[in-house]
Amino acid sequence: MKTILRALMLILFVWTHITATVSAEDASASKINSEQQQALVEINQALQDNPELILGLRQSLNAFLQQRAEHNNALINSEAWLYQQRVHPRLGDENAPHKIIVFTDYDCPFCKRLEPVLEKLVAEQPDIQVMSILVPLRQNLPAGATTNSALFALDVWQHNPTQFSQAHDLLMRKSGLHTAASLKQIAEATSNERFLKASAHSLQTVERNAEVFNSLGLRGTPAIMVGRQVLPGFVPFAQLLETAQAEFKLD
């Protein structure tokens, strides 16, 4: 029993490691490093000692490979929407050659925590811009409102971009969920009262954002895409910087 348990734990550990890092290794998938080679030796021995695990592992592997293929296809199909559309709010220089995608929600506390990290990144790395893909997961419309934080921000970005930065900061600074009152207050402070009713264009943008979010198999915000790597949840600055520098070959 202890041998079987150890084998299961080993396979689970390696499988989790592979799942977490596979997107970062797409470019060199045919290469096996020394750590992976050792893991394969240990897995092979564990399966020889416990052959009853082989069929279940094969099924899990096939399911994982199918999921990975679906994810890669979704990435290809959504690249134009994520990287080439001007409907998405942006941090940093619009001419910066490297783009990071962040699925974010003004009602998400972890997105609010991440915002200073993103601002610091584009300040220290001017060759990077951050594209914000707004997905209002936590609420549709606040009671008594005819827009929500994402829809309001998209309308400001589209029609009054010079006031967007201030509106964006106030939207991120609000603790907890936005309300009709908080949106009205921000709209008045930034002279954007006309956007307290969502436009058809912003509704279509949010709908498309949600479709892409779901097609990529994402589960929550924030979710950061650096190249083909996906970093879920809040990411400290040092980790995000290291990932971006490695992906974009930056100093």
Side-chain angles (χ1 to χ4, degrees):
M1 180 62 70
K2 288 184 178 180
T3 301
I4 295 176
L5 181 61
R6 180 180 180 278
L8 286 170
M9 290 179 66
L10 173 64
I11 292 170
L12 178 61
F13 171 78
V14 174
W15 193 249
T16 302
H17 176 74
I18 292 173
T19 303
T21 60
V22 67
S23 60
E25 298 172 353
D26 283 344
S28 58
S30 62
K31 301 177 182 178
I32 299 178
N33 61 36
S34 58
E35 182 182 4
Q36 292 169 330
Q37 183 63 51
Q38 179 61 32
L40 286 175
V41 171
E42 294 182 25
I43 289 175
N44 183 57
Q45 185 60 53
L47 292 177
Q48 289 189 41
D49 294 341
N50 304 276
E52 67 276 14
L53 302 177
I54 294 175
L55 294 180
L57 184 60
R58 183 179 67 178
Q59 292 174 351
S60 297
L61 176 61
N62 288 338
F64 169 74
L65 292 176
Q66 180 178 354
Q67 183 183 35
R68 179 186 176 187
E70 291 173 354
H71 176 78
N72 287 338
N73 287 335
L75 278 176
I76 293 170
N77 293 334
S78 62
E79 277 183 351
W81 176 254
L82 294 177
Y83 291 95
Q84 298 175 18
Q85 297 296 321
R86 300 180 66 86
V87 297
H88 306 304
R90 179 190 63 252
L91 284 174
D93 183 356
E94 66 176 332
N95 296 315
H98 306 299
K99 294 181 180 180
I100 287 177
I101 300 297
V102 178
F103 290 88
T104 189
D105 182 354
Y106 287 112
D107 288 317
C108 166
F110 297 103
C111 297
K112 297 175 193 290
R113 283 184 60 202
L114 180 66
E115 190 64 18
V117 172
L118 300 175
E119 292 174 355
K120 184 177 181 181
L121 179 69
V122 298
E124 294 191 9
Q125 297 290 328
D127 285 343
I128 294 176
Q129 56 178 298
V130 174
M131 313 296 291
S132 295
I133 312 301
L134 300 180
V135 280
L137 299 181
R138 292 178 63 86
Q139 66 172 344
N140 184 11
L141 289 179
T146 53
T147 191
N148 62 30
S149 53
L151 297 169
F152 173 75
L154 286 169
D155 280 328
V156 175
W157 172 258
Q158 186 73 18
H159 301 290
N160 195 11
T162 59
Q163 291 297 316
F164 176 78
S165 179
Q166 183 185 6
H168 173 78
D169 290 344
L170 291 172
L171 288 167
M172 279 294 180
R173 196 179 304 166
K174 166 72 168 66
S175 62
L177 298 178
H178 278 281
T179 64
S182 70
L183 293 173
K184 184 174 184 293
Q185 184 179 26
I186 293 170
E188 290 175 347
T190 59
S191 300
N192 285 301
E193 296 94 329
R194 64 191 184 278
F195 302 128
L196 286 172
K197 182 176 181 180
S199 68
H201 184 267
S202 65
L203 287 165
Q204 292 171 356
T205 299
V206 163
E207 182 178 353
R208 177 59 177 148
N209 288 350
E211 290 174 356
V212 171
F213 179 87
N214 291 325
S215 73
L216 293 174
L218 302 176
R219 295 291 179 263
T221 56
I224 308 170
M225 288 176 53
V226 184
R228 289 184 175 267
Q229 300 181 64
V230 178
L231 307 176
F234 173 79
V235 177
F237 175 75
Q239 180 184 350
L240 182 56
L241 177 62
E242 181 181 6
T243 303
Q245 288 176 330
E247 174 67 25
F248 302 132
K249 307 296 189 295
L250 302 174
D251 295 330

